[in-house]
């Protein structure tokens, strides 16, 4: 009996020690939002990050203002809450086109929701409204709301979903980050944005040419302290609808840096990368 009690006591001490050490690591860094081990080139380019991931389907009608979606989230509950990201697809594109971002980003320590638009032909303003409605649902009503820090949220989207992402950032300055992917919109709202924004484009994009959409949006970010523009080499509009290491690497770094305030990821952004997979890389370096 004494032996069993001793073993139970040792097990409890081991758990307490583990929690204490984890807390000490965060405290020592001075940043309570760090999640996961120190990053490396291998970790930010890996298909799977350090967190095991689960997912839950959100059927249409679950919330006001958006269609069905899928929530991907880290299973780890010992490091505190996580930042949240909502991702919107493009014109006539189903959720499947952006599904790869869900587990990829969640495995790096984010709660991620990918969406179907209410109608395949919805324009950017409608997509922005749906994106923000989904973000409200995710942080206040979803099954994983207790895993989320509602003060640390971000938006991301492709094509017209990228245009919607810019509009979401313009209307919601409380967001911590925005990542428009090959954005398309009839209006340029970037002058209204104060949210740290990383815009992607592709050198072979004929649907949303960089010179017409992505670059003017970047140049219009006159009220943003931290911004970046990444033009992919040998890519087109639909590159963003398939797993892409370059897109994932810099998206992870941007979200970590601004949603988690994790300066360990500065190394992937500053000095401005000389990446052979990009034609142009512009940024203000968040240092």
């Amino acid at each position: 009996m004494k032996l069993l009690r001793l073993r139970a006591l040792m097990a409890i001490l081991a758990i307490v020690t583990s929690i204490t050490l984890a807390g000490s690591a965060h405290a020592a860094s001075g940043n309570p939002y760090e999640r996961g081990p120190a990053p490396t080139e291998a970790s930010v380019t890996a298909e799977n990050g350090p967190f095991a991931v689960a997912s839950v389907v959100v059927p249409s009608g679950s919330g006001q203002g958006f269609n069905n979606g899928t929530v991907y989230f880290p299973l780890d509950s010992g490091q505190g809450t996580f930042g949240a990201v909502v991702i919107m697809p493009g014109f006539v594109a189903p959720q499947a086109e952006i599904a790869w971002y869900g587990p990829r980003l969640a495995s790096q320590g984010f709660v991620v929701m990918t969406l179907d638009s209410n109608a395949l032909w919805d324009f950017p303003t409608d997509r922005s409204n749906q994106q923000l409605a989904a973000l409200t649902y995710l942080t206040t009503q979803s099954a994983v709301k207790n895993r989320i820090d509602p003060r640390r949220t971000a938006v991301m989207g492709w094509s017209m979903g990228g245009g919607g992402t810019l509009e979401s950032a313009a209307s919601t300055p409380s967001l911590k980050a925005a990542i428009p992917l090959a954005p398309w919109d009839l209006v340029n709202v970037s002058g209204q944005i104060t949210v740290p924004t990383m815009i992607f484009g592709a050198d072979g994009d004929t649907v949303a040419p960089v010179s017409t959409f992505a670059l003017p949006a970047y140049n219009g970010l006159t009220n943003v302290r931290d911004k970046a523009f990444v033009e992919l080499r040998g890519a087109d509009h639909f590159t963003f609808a398939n797993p892409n290491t370059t897109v994932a690497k810099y998206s992870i770094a941007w979200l970590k840096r601004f949603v988690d305030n994790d300066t360990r990821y500065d190394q992937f952004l500053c000095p401005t990368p000389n990446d052979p997979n990009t034609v142009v890389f512009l940024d203000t370096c968040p240092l």
Side-chain angles (χ1 to χ4, degrees):
M1 182 65 71
K2 288 183 178 179
L3 181 59
L4 290 175
R5 288 178 179 174
L6 180 59
R7 287 177 175 173
L9 179 60
M10 291 177 66
I12 293 171
L13 287 173
I15 293 171
V16 171
T17 300
S18 176
I19 293 172
T20 302
L21 288 174
S24 297
H26 293 314
S29 72
N31 177 19
Y33 306 130
E34 284 185 6
R35 301 291 182 265
T40 64
E41 180 71 19
S43 74
V44 295
T45 56
E47 184 174 345
N48 297 304
F51 293 94
V53 172
S55 64
V56 59
V57 173
V58 180
S60 58
S62 297
Q64 295 292 326
F66 67 93
N67 199 352
N68 58 289
T70 307
V71 178
Y72 303 85
F73 59 96
L75 286 170
D76 190 322
S77 59
Q79 295 194 42
T81 54
F82 298 92
V85 188
V86 172
I87 307 177
M88 176 62 70
F91 189 70
V92 302
Q95 181 185 170
E97 300 281 5
I98 55 164
W100 74 272
Y101 295 96
R104 188 103 174 215
L105 297 179
S107 72
Q108 296 287 345
F110 299 99
V111 177
V112 183
M113 186 174 185
T114 58
L115 295 175
D116 275 307
S117 54
N118 286 338
L120 290 174
W121 49 87
D122 283 336
F123 267 53
T125 298
D126 290 328
R127 291 173 188 272
S128 170
N129 293 335
Q130 294 163 40
Q131 185 178 54
L132 294 174
L135 189 58
T136 297
Y137 167 84
L138 184 61
T139 57
T140 63
Q141 300 180 51
S142 73
V144 297
K145 64 182 181 181
N146 291 334
R147 294 176 179 267
I148 298 170
D149 180 349
R151 300 165 301 176
R152 297 189 294 116
T153 58
V155 288
M156 190 171 181
W158 168 51
S159 193
M160 282 197 186
T165 293
L166 287 166
E167 293 197 25
S168 293
S171 67
T172 317
S174 61
L175 292 168
K176 298 301 183 184
I179 305 180
L181 308 163
W184 189 103
D185 202 346
L186 290 174
V187 296
N188 186 347
V189 298
S190 54
Q192 304 170 40
I193 295 173
T194 57
V195 176
T197 301
M198 171 176 272
I199 300 177
F200 282 87
D203 62 352
D205 193 339
T206 57
V207 177
V210 165
S211 60
T212 306
F213 295 98
L215 191 55
Y218 175 78
N219 290 334
L221 294 170
T222 54
N223 294 307
V224 178
R225 176 179 177 270
D226 300 297
K227 61 180 182 177
F229 170 68
V230 184
E231 182 177 355
L232 301 181
R233 184 185 301 277
D236 60 26
H237 194 66
F238 299 96
T239 295
F240 302 96
N242 297 283
N244 183 282
T245 299
T246 304
V247 174
K249 172 183 177 179
Y250 295 118
S251 296
I252 290 165
W254 197 258
L255 293 172
K256 282 289 190 178
R257 179 60 181 84
F258 294 106
V259 176
D260 289 356
N261 195 32
D262 196 336
T263 56
R264 298 179 299 173
Y265 287 80
D266 283 346
Q267 61 182 298
F268 306 108
L269 302 169
C270 301
T272 302
N274 182 17
D275 190 326
N277 296 308
T278 67
V279 177
V280 176
F281 199 122
L282 306 171
D283 71 5
T284 51
C285 278
L287 293 176

